[in-house]
Amino acid sequence: MGVKPKPVVAREIASRDVDEALAYFLAEGSPRAAFGFIDALEKAYGRLSRYPKAGSSRYASELNLPGLRHWPLKGYPYVVFYVERDDHIDVWRVLHGQRDIPTWMQETEGF
């Protein structure tokens, strides 16, 4: 039987995060890294679609955001922040792991 996957829906700000990461890789002259980033992101979204509880909830209490989880991108220093909803996975941000996560998350609309 298995688990019915939920659609992954990225918020506009999360899509901008992805665009900025891709622009960085391309500016650095590394289209291979940009394509790899997209591949890693698609794999992460696929996993979260099937196993939404797989991500860590470490930041949920730190940021006082119940339900917030995060999942690292394999091979990249980026982290997907998301909340499982009844009918989809709500991707809030895709941030570089070295960023000041609490500050960056405060910029997310709809807390």
Side-chain angles (χ1 to χ4, degrees), residues 11-30 33-34 37-38 41 73 76 78 92-96 99 104 107:
R11 292 183 178 205
E12 186 179 329
I13 196 166
S15 295
R16 278 200 306 267
D17 293 336
V18 171
D19 290 344
E20 288 173 13
L22 291 173
Y24 170 79
F25 292 128
L26 294 173
E28 294 293 307
S30 186
F37 176 80
I38 291 294
L41 186 63
L73 291 191
Y76 288 82
Y78 285 81
W92 285 25
R93 300 296 303 259
V94 179
L95 298 175
H96 192 287
R99 296 269 168 93
W104 280 78
E107 294 176 9

Side-chain angles (χ1 to χ4, degrees), residues 25-92:
F25 292 128
L26 294 173
E28 294 293 307
S30 186
R32 173 180 267 155
F35 284 119
F37 176 80
I38 291 294
D39 187 52
L41 186 63
E42 287 176 353
K43 286 181 176 158
Y45 282 1
R47 176 151 186 98
L48 298 176
S49 170
R50 289 185 308 279
Y51 307 104
K53 298 204 180 340
S56 169
S57 59
R58 177 181 129 205
Y59 288 105
S61 57
E62 186 178 321
L63 298 172
N64 194 27
L65 296 170
L68 181 71
R69 292 182 175 272
H70 68 280
W71 183 262
L73 291 191
K74 186 175 170 100
Y76 288 82
Y78 285 81
V79 182
V80 176
F81 290 88
Y82 67 97
V83 174
E84 180 183 8
R85 305 290 184 200
D86 290 339
D87 59 347
H88 71 284
I89 305 302
D90 182 5
V91 176
W92 285 25

